[in-house]
Every structure is written in C-alpha cells, then in structure tokens.
Amino acid sequence: MAVAKADLAAALDLFAGLGAEITHRAMMGGEILYADGQIFAAIMGDAGVHIRAKGALAERLEEAGATQFIWVRPSDGRAMPMGYWSLPEDALDAPEEACDWAKSALEAGD
C-alpha cells in the first residue's frame, strides 16, 4: 500500500517546525519519517500518521486518544501490534502539537 504524494507532503509540512532535517523512505508498505536520521514516525498508507512509541510515551498517546497500529500478516491473518501509535486527532491540524509528539518520540529513542 503506497503512500499518496499528497499525504507525504502533508506530513512533511506538519513536522516542518521540528527543527531537524526531515527525510523519509519507503518501508513496511508506507513511509518512515526520520529527523536528523532518527526514526520518529511513519505514514501507514490509509491509516495515516503514526508516532513511534513504547512504554510511557505509548501510554500518553493512548490517553490522548491514539490507537496502536496493528499489522495483519497476509500469509495467515495474524494480527501483530507494532510500536507505532496514531497521531491524536487534535494534532493532525496543529503542527506545534504534532511536533511536540515527535520530539517526545525522539527523546524516548530506542
């Protein structure tokens, strides 16, 4: 599932205020976003923008209404939770808030 050019452009605009060089590359059927070479988010086709998170950050995202990305393996239909959480609805139209989530992901690292 390829990411539409317009969706990628919108995500890059959303994170433009991050204060880092934002790059991307195709992976996992979507686009992985990097800030100065560190993964912080992904665009999962029609599922939208997801922030890389685990532990306390994942809990904060869930409290804000985010949902975990679940990949379904085509070979057997097995659901596999991934370490990416949807960007909360409020942040989709608020670049400052989206960048705050991205900064938290970068600070959490892996």
Side-chain angles (χ1 to χ4, degrees):
M1 115 183 47
V3 173
K5 288 181 182 181
D7 292 339
L8 176 59
L12 294 175
D13 284 345
L14 189 63
F15 295 116
L18 194 54
E21 178 186 11
I22 306 298
T23 56
H24 61 91
R25 83 178 174 130
M27 187 184 300
M28 301 184 326
E31 291 283 333
I32 301 297
L33 301 180
Y34 300 81
D36 292 335
Q38 184 179 350
I39 296 173
F40 72 94
I43 307 168
M44 307 292 199
D46 293 340
V49 177
H50 286 69
I51 297 295
R52 186 175 191 187
K54 63 181 180 181
L57 179 56
E59 290 172 11
R60 285 182 37 227
L61 282 159
E62 186 173 26
E63 289 169 5
T67 57
Q68 189 172 21
F69 182 75
I70 308 293
W71 179 66
V72 178
R73 189 164 46 190
S75 62
D76 62 6
R78 180 176 168 203
M80 302 181 72
M82 304 298 285
Y84 291 89
W85 289 76
S86 62
L87 195 60
E89 278 296 314
D90 294 347
L92 292 172
D93 294 320
E96 187 173 309
E97 187 177 340
C99 286
D100 286 344
W101 286 114
K103 287 175 187 173
S104 293
L106 290 165
E107 290 168 1
D110 269 0

